[in-house]
Amino acid sequence: FQSLDTQYRTAFVKNLKRGVELGRLDPKLLAFDLDKLSASLVIERDDLFLYLGLQTLTDRYFIADHDTKQTLETPQMFWMRIAMGAALNEKNKFEHTIKFYDIMSKLLYTPSTPTLFHAGTVKPQLSSCYLNTVTDSLDNIFKTYSDNAQLSKWSGGIGTDWTNIRGTGSFIQGTGVESQGVVPFLKIANDVTVAINRSGRRRGAACVYLETWHYDIEAFLELRKNTGDERRRTHDMDTANWIPDLFMKRVREDGDWTLFSPDETPDLHDLYGRRFEERYEKYEKMTNEGKIVLFKKLKARDLWKKMLAMLFETGHPWITFKDPSNIRSPQDHVGVVHSSNLCTEITLNTAENETAVCNLGSLNFAKFVVDKKFNMALVEEVVTIAMRMLDNIIDINYYPTEDARRSNLRHRPVGLGVRGFQDALYLLDINFDSEECVKFADYSMEVVSYYTILASSRLAAERGAYGSFRGSKWDRGIMPQDTLDLLENERGLKIDVARGGQLNWEPVRSSIREFGMRNSNCLAVAPTATTANIVGCIPTVEPMYKNLYVKSNQAGDFTVINSYLIEDLKKLKLWDFEMLGKIKFHDGRISEINEIPEALRNKYKETFEINPRWLIKSAAYRGKWIDQSQSINIYYHGTSGREISDVYLYAWELGLKTTYYLRTLAVSQVEKSTVDTASFGSTHLRKATVTVAPVMETVPATPKACAITDPSCESCQS
């Protein structure tokens, strides 16, 4: 142990060379001054990790000798290798490698998993997300299967828009037969996803999108059901609705809705806002004139109820909104956003010959609260380095397909996000369900947005603007926060989100006018579940799931407890074995433990104890500063279909672009073998409320399927 420091630094150089020798690491890494980098390792930063973080790195991220299974990295070696892989094209490699290493090893910033998997390797596929769109031809359909297999092989998460595929029963001119619609092709897409194990370390993952006016939308809603014809089910692939504003207006007005086949209404796919509404209404008139062959009319609310019923029962399809994603897009001059990605935070244009790509990374807000204040200077420092790192990845990246390479080099989008939002609230003594939380979401994201966009503009001054900059919203002087007014005007309905902020944006606007932007898109809030485990913070921008629970992932089962709660209980001298037993008995929920002061019980409410409108409102105020979107789960404790509808209508009314899973509580508690039943009573209590729990990363209880057709169930009622 006395010689650990020397051994650590010697092993760094030795194992890097061994990784190159084995063909795992890029020989270009040997051009770095390895001795100088070795001397720069800060070994004591290993102590920043919690057990779950170290276990996750060891099981899934560290480079190893395939034959001997010997691990070739320690945490600090790992961070340095990632930093080197991101600095390969820098002139001053040492300076930038150390900057990249510092922000990662201090757990201030973490790139996404593909970057952590592959930086510095011989095939550096560093991008997180790929989005593509399918055209209505057999050649393109099967090209998409092939492309998606390659993207998935290299750890890319995929979002594919299938709206162009004609509806069931439409006539195929070439063969003289009727089409079977989009569902059989989605079944094949599902099986391609299952067949690919991403880099041997992640299951293949994809999400398919369909617009709400598509003739096959009703069959699409049932893809994840556990009953019915298995040939028309896709159990291993996520699904999402791509919903135009007009549909939401018809739901509010209790109006009619018409389903069309895209071969008869081909321009609807590329239209949004008022132009979509005008064209859609024209097609509705054409049905009355006999000029449209294949269509179906129904009540918008009936389709909406079916969408929500499927969401409640299966967790799919997710609710995402076409018009806000396009109207607020900086790249409205060169294309259309046809879908989001696997996790609903990316909103980039796609076309037949352009697969959108996004490179992601996230700030750890838990580290940006210093002395009970949000440290703006630290944000500026870290964001400036992180944006350079993200921009470098675009040029270093290995692209599995030519469509992806072409698109990414032309537009250069990145997605800087945040995690540990709840950690920051705990440190600031702000309750999640409060206006103070909304204000912090607003201010903190403004600060991140300000310095992120400024950093991209400064990179443009050094390296040049991205290829399609001219004509973009950036070029037209329109910032993300300005686009809420555009959405409100286009929609014709008020968006109740306060405009303005606390910073002077003129320096940012001035820089863009002079130098342009290096990146077409800069901001996106991803789910960050695994990388949050690594750095030991609460994922993304959501409340604490539970104060005590078991987390299951590929590394195993881990007990997670809210350390902030424990520290506060210790300060009040309330932390002992009896309190631990009570917290276990209540599954981590402390609202019924009367010995704990009310202020603390309010501070440590779990996700399902917080009205989902608070999460949505915070997201809306945060979202005005974001040029892409946010991965926002909706947590609902109840069974009312009407309430679920109101929650999603509220999200739409506040201008959210996308939502992610609908999470609901399970039927029973987990039996607790470590709780004294003599003191606390039975530890396996049935709950009165029966709801459905979509697949989650946690194992809190055993879910029970909902009798969704039961007329006595409120979710089935209007």
Side-chain angles (χ1 to χ4, degrees), residues 331 333-334 410-412 465-472 520:
Q331 291 291 95
H333 65 306
V334 287
R410 183 185 178 204
H411 308 300
R412 308 186 68 86
Y466 69 91
S468 58
F469 170 74
R470 291 301 171 198
S472 66
S520 65

Side-chain angles (χ1 to χ4, degrees), residues 113-166:
T113 284
T115 302
L116 299 180
F117 277 168
H118 300 135
T121 65
V122 291
K123 283 285 182 71
Q125 195 303 103
L126 311 176
S127 298
S128 305
C129 308
Y130 293 90
L131 287 72
N132 51 17
T133 186
V134 186
T135 61
D136 192 30
S137 77
L138 209 55
D139 287 344
N140 189 258
I141 290 170
F142 278 83
K143 174 183 178 295
T144 302
Y145 294 147
S146 176
D147 286 355
N148 286 358
Q150 290 297 327
L151 299 172
S152 191
K153 171 185 176 181
W154 294 102
S155 292
I158 302 163
T160 302
D161 156 51
W162 286 84
T163 300
N164 272 323
I165 306 303
R166 67 188 62 201

